Amino acid sequence: MKPLEIIEALKQKIEMADQLDWDYNRKEERVKITHREWHQGLTLGISEISAKITARGVEALDEVVYIINETFRSMARERAEGFNGEEAVVLPVIRSTSFPEKSKEGHRFITEYHTAETRIYYALDLGSTYRLIDEHVLAQLGMSEEQLKERALFKAQALPIEMKEDEVDGNIFYFLNMNDGYDATRILNRAFLKEMSEKVEGHMTVSVPHQDVLIIGDLRNNVGYDVLAQMTMHFFTVGTVPITSLSFIYDEGKLDPIFILAKNQRIEGEDN
């Protein structure tokens, strides 16, 4: 689908369409959707949506429609109800280091260093969606940054974990996809990673190509690295919220980025 066809298809499917303004930047192939009264909204990369539609069909477009609808529903709830700090469910989420550090309104997001490729943000869970927590939201919740981070990490440790297993040329890959928006967040569960390391027989890798999947690799030969590189690039391309196509070697609690240059070649970096 062409960019303008994608935009028109979205307009036809989403709620509140008559209350939204659409500003399409042809050069950057991005469209900014803003609620006319609230002056809030979101920006979508049309080229990324087009690639997802090519790879997965109209299902990818339906996912974008869902995200838009849920975003504006959460804005409506926020305006009507505000936030209740005592009842709020907060969780950490993983983003690329290239992800914006401020909201569109100019408020600083609450973040923490994770690796050279990834950064930790914090989210207010709203049920079927969530909102990233910035200074303005944090003040409404009545928490300090330290309280937020401690509470979010504690909640992350309690997230359920179910893995699917696949074998490719003697290498084992474990996939976590709970469809709760926090799959990549499980990379912060140190007890889980340690438990997996005791199970792995070869080199253990951890990958978070997008927010809705976490991949543990048990790489036992060089073919495994090539398979992993292709796999993570595929997931990175089709993910709704891409994070990084690079994977990490896990060793004694540390995550070091691994650069797979070509067949049977790899360079391990240094990280946390």
Side-chain angles (χ1 to χ4, degrees):
M1 296 175 70
K2 296 180 179 179
L4 293 180
E5 291 176 335
I6 292 174
I7 293 173
E8 188 58 34
L10 293 174
K11 287 182 179 180
Q12 296 297 321
K13 288 175 173 285
I14 67 170
E15 303 168 1
M16 298 188 186
D18 59 339
Q19 303 174 51
L20 305 177
D21 290 327
W22 299 68
D23 182 15
Y24 176 51
N25 185 318
R26 291 178 179 272
K27 183 178 181 180
E28 297 182 2
E29 288 196 348
R30 305 187 78 78
V31 60
K32 183 178 181 181
I33 310 171
T34 307
H35 193 282
R36 203 169 294 124
E37 180 182 345
W38 305 339
H39 305 292
Q40 292 179 286
L42 73 163
T43 301
L44 300 173
I46 299 300
S47 57
E48 290 92 333
I49 296 173
S50 178
K52 292 176 177 61
I53 293 173
T54 300
R56 300 164 52 199
V58 293
E59 177 188 345
L61 188 64
D62 291 338
E63 286 185 3
V64 176
V65 170
Y66 176 80
I67 290 170
I68 296 173
N69 284 337
E70 288 301 317
T71 297
F72 284 103
R73 284 175 191 159
S74 67
M75 289 179 186
R77 286 195 297 270
E78 175 188 335
R79 294 178 70 83
E81 305 169 7
F83 302 121
N84 186 326
E86 293 183 2
E87 299 179 1
V89 176
V90 294
L91 281 152
V93 292
I94 305 299
R95 291 290 185 269
S96 164
T97 50
S98 63
F99 194 84
E101 295 185 56
K102 292 184 177 181
S103 68
K104 291 181 175 61
E105 294 75 32
H107 302 299
R108 178 181 64 88
F109 286 123
I110 308 304
T111 66
E112 186 169 337
Y113 176 85
H114 182 232
T115 75
E117 304 297 325
T118 53
R119 184 182 293 128
I120 303 171
Y121 287 69
Y122 295 87
L124 174 64
D125 189 271
L126 301 171
S128 55
T129 185
Y130 58 70
R131 171 171 178 166
L132 293 182
I133 298 174
D134 57 30
E135 292 174 310
H136 177 67
V137 175
L138 185 64
Q140 290 183 284
L141 291 172
M143 299 183 197
S144 67
E145 287 195 25
E146 184 178 351
Q147 288 172 325
L148 169 67
K149 293 176 179 180
E150 182 179 327
R151 185 166 167 179
L153 186 59
F154 179 79
K155 183 68 176 177
Q157 311 302 316
L159 290 171
I161 293 175
E162 295 180 10
M163 308 290 289
K164 294 183 180 179
E165 181 179 334
D166 192 16
E167 181 176 349
V168 182
D169 290 325
N171 302 278
I172 309 298
F173 296 94
Y174 301 91
F175 300 88
L176 191 150
N177 177 221
M178 304 293 289
N179 290 313
D180 59 6
Y182 302 104
D183 293 300
T185 294
R186 272 78 165 185
I187 198 174
L188 302 176
N189 189 329
R190 293 181 177 274
F192 161 62
L193 295 183
K194 186 176 186 301
E195 180 181 335
M196 290 300 299
S197 71
E198 294 170 354
K199 183 177 182 179
V200 165
E201 296 181 14
H203 291 132
M204 175 173 162
T205 61
V206 185
S207 312
V208 283
H210 64 74
Q211 74 165 13
D212 296 314
V213 68
L214 182 145
I215 306 168
I216 302 288
D218 180 355
L219 306 188
R220 303 176 183 180
N221 56 54
N222 284 333
V223 175
Y225 288 92
D226 296 321
V227 172
L228 180 65
Q230 296 171 27
M231 185 185 301
T232 53
M233 180 55 71
H234 169 73
F235 278 109
F236 178 77
T237 302
V238 303
T240 303
V241 183
I243 299 176
T244 176
S245 59
L246 291 180
S247 296
F248 302 91
I249 285 284
Y250 177 87
D251 183 29
E252 296 183 355
K254 294 180 61 179
L255 292 169
D256 294 328
I258 178 169
F259 302 86
I260 303 173
L261 304 178
K263 189 171 183 179
N264 297 339
Q265 295 182 336
R266 63 184 186 274
I267 298 177
E268 293 179 21
E270 294 184 358
D271 219 313
N272 71 323

